[in-house]
Amino acid sequence: VQRGVRLLVLGALGVSLLGAHDSSYSKRRFVGEYRDILRQYATGDIDGALERYVLLETQASRAADDRRYQSMQSAKQKLHRKMRRASVETLPPLTQFQERAYVAYLERHDSRLAIYARLLATELAERYAVAADTGPQRSLASGMLASLGGYAHDALQETAASRLYGQSLELDPDHVPALLGLAALNEKRGEYVAVTAYLRRLVAAGGKGLEPRLRLAVNLSRVGPSDEAKDALRRLVAEAHEDWIRSIAYQELARLLLREGSPLEARTLLARAVAELPCDPTLPIQLAYADDRAGRTSSLDLVTALASCPYRDEPAPRARYTHPPTPLFDQLRQRIAEAVATRLPTLAEALS
Amino acid sequence: VSRLRRAAALAALLSCLAPAMSAQTTFKGRPLTDALSMLRRQGLNLIFSSDLVRPEMTVEVEPAGATLQELLETLLAPHGLTAEIGPGGSLLVVERTTQPIIVSITSPTSRRTAIGTVKMSATLVSPEPVEWVEFLVDGRQHGLRRAPPYEIEVDIGTDNVVHEFEIVAYGRFGAEGRASVKTQRYVVEGRVEVALRQLPITVTLGGFAVDNLEADDFVLEDEGRREPIVTLAQADLPIRAVLLIDASESMKGQGLRAALDGVRAFLSRLGPEDTASVLLFSDRTLAVTPFSSDEQALLARIEGASAGGATALNDYLFAALEILRGIDGRPIVVLLSDGADVVSVLGIDDVRWKIKRSDALIYWIRLPGLVGLGSRFSSSWRNVDQNRREARGLEAAVRDGGGRIEDIEGIGTIEVAFDAIIEELRRQYVVGYYPSEPRYDGSWRKVEVRVRRPGARVRYRNGYFDQ
């Protein structure tokens, strides 16, 4: 049913993308060009193929009338079915191609084509998941679904993200990015007890880096006695080499101390944090607050502290925390790209 | 008092008499007795003895007074003599005792703060014609007046310090009088030696500001006890404003441009004594300026900024209040935001704690956004219910603090909203009073204010911590 609904959405989106008509964009020409682009992609020229594809889709969406554009999309999906019949291993390259197109459309602020590409990629990934029999196939399918879940998560499509993470975990129950992504989504819903239990198991299973430990510590501080949370945060302050993780560990530890009525201890901690991370925007503000609660006049000139670092076009640590775990997804996508590269010859063969 | 009565009676008596000497008569150099005798002949019942008015005394100054009193004073004063009411309505020439001019300063008044342009004025009661009046501030002369009204305007700068205002009057024949008042510092925090509390109050009627109210028009209760208002000013305390602009991702492009137009409009209407700081924020500091009254300098520092990132509203609202801490003048935060906090480490309760201890008024220009109180919005840091509580908390904090929420329909009305706020500040009252039962124990004291104007609405901070 879900797939049926999605196909309907795809069709509707295809129709809604249309603008002025141009009879030169025939279905035959469109599919021929798409096939040619896929051939280029199959040779390994991913960027060149992607550039042509984005241009083709954009022009077609603007030039064809509703009916003809819909028929073009149908033809594209028909081509995908032909590829799948030739070999199911053509699906990972096709999925990744649509996923890359999704990112390209986002960068061009073309949200309608972006959504279309993500839905198409999801459709292809799900088909591969259904067909996957072997361990490596299931692992790849799980990764592709988690990756798409991450993109949906980023785009605040939380229902879709949750479903994709869930599908990924059905294929691989220990898939770390999917687990963390799902934890982050549940965190937004305020289901802290469930998230904590989940993250506790994940960390106990093998560490998996500092980000899961940070998320666990943050959620521990929300659900129970603070001693365990404080210990976890203190270890992160000492061990984390990534600034954003260390910054949040400092902030949350100070928050716990303030909550417990220890503003002097909090201010000492935050003064150390400001010295270590002078360009973090949150720390001097929290230090001023701790000073205030401790009944002290702030030792900071806040205007100077806020203006002291050059502007950086990157999210503050707490904003970064609200996104899916980026480095893990970057690593995941790198692994998927490597797996897809081995399947490009299969795609080339199917196209021929 | 008896001296004043006698002087008044003398003036009344002399004013009833016709001018005693013709304009053609020359007296200078003639014996004083001749001049006084002539006045006698003209009907003035003048009594003098030869011990006081001796034959060798001559008229030193040609009498030129318009009234008989002035004329008589001109004749007698150079010889240390004057006239007093005697028995049976007579006038007795007596030895002049040195009597001061009584100076009463009508503005400024003690217990008031004085910053910027201040009116100095006095009324005088003088035993002789007043030659000139000198106006001094902190020992430095700022003006002279030779005739009533005895008043000047003086610019004393923006330092929040005690000033001494002195007015000195000099009589034509040597009499002097002086008076002085000391004004007070504007007290920003509740902790004061003199325990003066100053409370900004906005009074509106039918949505429009009500001007020219007097202290008697206000009724102020502190912990239920009616307190007399000892100082009242309308908009003469300099504004110290932090313009806190949410420049997160949703403000990219037109939104930020409209916000900067609003900032520009606000800055252009600041007075010469007012200053502002501009803080553009998202989850990070996008631009921040020190306090300045130089509109162009402030704009130059923010115009290159671009919007982006999530919103840390609580954190930066706290920062704005902290920046205003201890600053003299009228502390104001003008916040432009949809009110959606995504990533702050501080909760709204932390900010409310600060707001209650701050004298700053918060004006919130609330942009319509996805995050109204009824909408569903969550982040990793707060779920939907927590965000709703945060939004309600911010609303309550702004209103409890005497500030205002200006809901606008879109970015097209940002500039109008800024304009309305500066207009309101320009017409705001600041009343001062002494709590009659201060406890200094950190307890919360509730304040209520009413104004004796039917239908008028009053907005003010509804209490303070007694520290």
Side-chain angles (χ1 to χ4, degrees), chain B residues 52-112:
Chain B
L52 285 178
V53 184
R54 292 187 299 277
E56 69 274 19
M57 289 178 178
T58 55
V59 176
E60 294 186 359
V61 181
E62 188 61 40
T67 66
L68 198 54
Q69 184 185 13
E70 286 176 354
L71 191 146
L72 197 54
E73 282 293 332
T74 312
L75 293 172
L76 298 175
H79 302 287
L81 303 172
T82 188
E84 276 188 10
I85 300 283
S90 62
L91 282 173
L92 287 174
V93 174
V94 295
E95 209 167 349
R96 174 187 289 274
T97 54
T98 308
Q99 292 186 346
I101 301 169
I102 299 171
V103 179
S104 303
I105 296 180
T106 52
S107 176
T109 55
S110 60
R111 293 186 170 184
R112 257 193 75 164

Side-chain angles (χ1 to χ4, degrees), chain A residues 1-326:
Chain A
V1 172
Q2 278 175 349
R3 205 166 68 208
V5 169
R6 207 158 46 247
L7 285 170
L8 280 173
V9 172
L10 279 170
L13 268 170
V15 169
S16 69
L17 289 169
L18 303 179
H21 307 162
D22 181 347
S23 57
S24 65
Y25 266 90
S26 67
K27 183 168 75 175
R28 179 186 291 272
R29 181 183 158 196
F30 178 82
V31 174
E33 209 160 324
Y34 179 52
R35 181 188 282 271
D36 198 47
I37 288 167
L38 288 178
R39 280 201 195 94
Q40 185 179 355
Y41 170 56
T43 66
D45 182 8
I46 300 171
D47 292 338
L50 199 61
E51 196 176 326
R52 281 180 63 199
Y53 178 69
V54 167
L55 188 66
L56 173 70
E57 279 277 331
T58 306
Q59 285 177 344
S61 71
R62 289 176 185 162
D65 64 23
D66 292 11
R67 190 180 51 78
R68 232 186 2 258
Y69 185 77
Q70 195 172 10
S71 74
M72 287 175 194
Q73 296 307 320
S74 300
K76 188 161 71 179
Q77 286 169 295
K78 194 174 169 185
L79 178 64
H80 290 164
R81 286 196 292 276
K82 280 175 74 175
M83 297 295 102
R84 175 163 56 91
R85 278 198 295 273
S87 169
V88 74
E89 295 302 335
T90 59
L91 289 176
L94 291 172
T95 303
Q96 203 203 23
F97 190 68
Q98 290 301 328
E99 190 180 287
R100 294 281 303 267
Y102 166 73
V103 175
Y105 290 132
L106 279 187
E107 286 169 359
R108 296 163 64 101
H109 306 292
D110 191 334
S111 54
R112 289 187 302 172
L113 282 176
I115 294 168
Y116 188 81
R118 199 184 72 222
L119 289 173
L120 200 54
T122 304
E123 177 72 20
L124 292 163
E126 286 178 342
R127 286 192 179 282
Y128 186 67
V130 169
D133 285 332
T134 65
Q137 281 179 326
R138 291 170 70 82
S139 174
L140 178 57
S142 174
M144 288 194 300
L145 289 164
S147 172
L148 286 161
Y151 282 126
H153 192 164
D154 265 338
L156 300 177
Q157 301 292 315
E158 291 174 9
T159 306
S162 185
R163 183 174 51 75
L164 287 161
Y165 288 145
Q167 287 174 318
S168 169
L169 290 171
E170 279 173 20
L171 294 165
D172 178 2
D174 293 328
H175 201 280
V176 175
L179 283 171
L180 276 175
L182 206 52
L185 283 177
N186 286 330
E187 202 174 18
K188 286 183 78 173
R189 295 178 186 133
E191 295 165 7
Y192 304 130
V193 174
V195 173
T196 303
Y198 211 44
L199 289 168
R200 203 190 282 280
R201 282 204 302 275
L202 182 63
V203 171
K208 310 287 187 187
L210 292 177
E211 186 169 345
R213 282 173 52 193
L214 174 70
R215 289 178 184 271
L216 174 60
V218 167
N219 283 284
L220 280 171
S221 73
R222 290 165 167 160
V223 295
S226 58
D227 286 351
E228 188 184 355
K230 280 197 293 187
D231 287 346
L233 290 166
R234 283 203 173 96
R235 281 200 300 276
L236 283 165
V237 163
E239 294 171 25
H241 52 269
E242 286 180 87
D243 286 353
W244 77 277
I245 290 179
R246 198 158 81 254
S247 171
I248 292 176
Y250 269 125
Q251 292 167 32
E252 291 300 302
L253 185 52
R255 218 166 51 80
L256 282 178
L257 292 169
L258 286 163
R259 195 170 76 188
E260 290 174 0
S262 307
L264 284 172
E265 199 181 339
R267 75 165 304 283
T268 305
L269 179 82
L270 287 164
R272 199 174 92 208
V274 169
E276 277 181 29
L277 303 163
C279 287
D280 189 295
T282 310
L283 294 170
I285 295 174
Q286 199 185 10
L287 174 56
Y289 174 73
D291 275 330
D292 228 357
R293 293 307 296 241
R296 293 185 170 197
T297 303
S298 180
S299 50
L300 279 174
D301 173 355
L302 207 49
V303 172
T304 306
L306 293 176
S308 60
C309 288
Y311 170 71
R312 287 188 296 186
D313 189 16
E314 61 185 52
R318 296 179 80 81
R320 183 164 174 180
Y321 183 94
T322 64
H323 293 288
T326 310

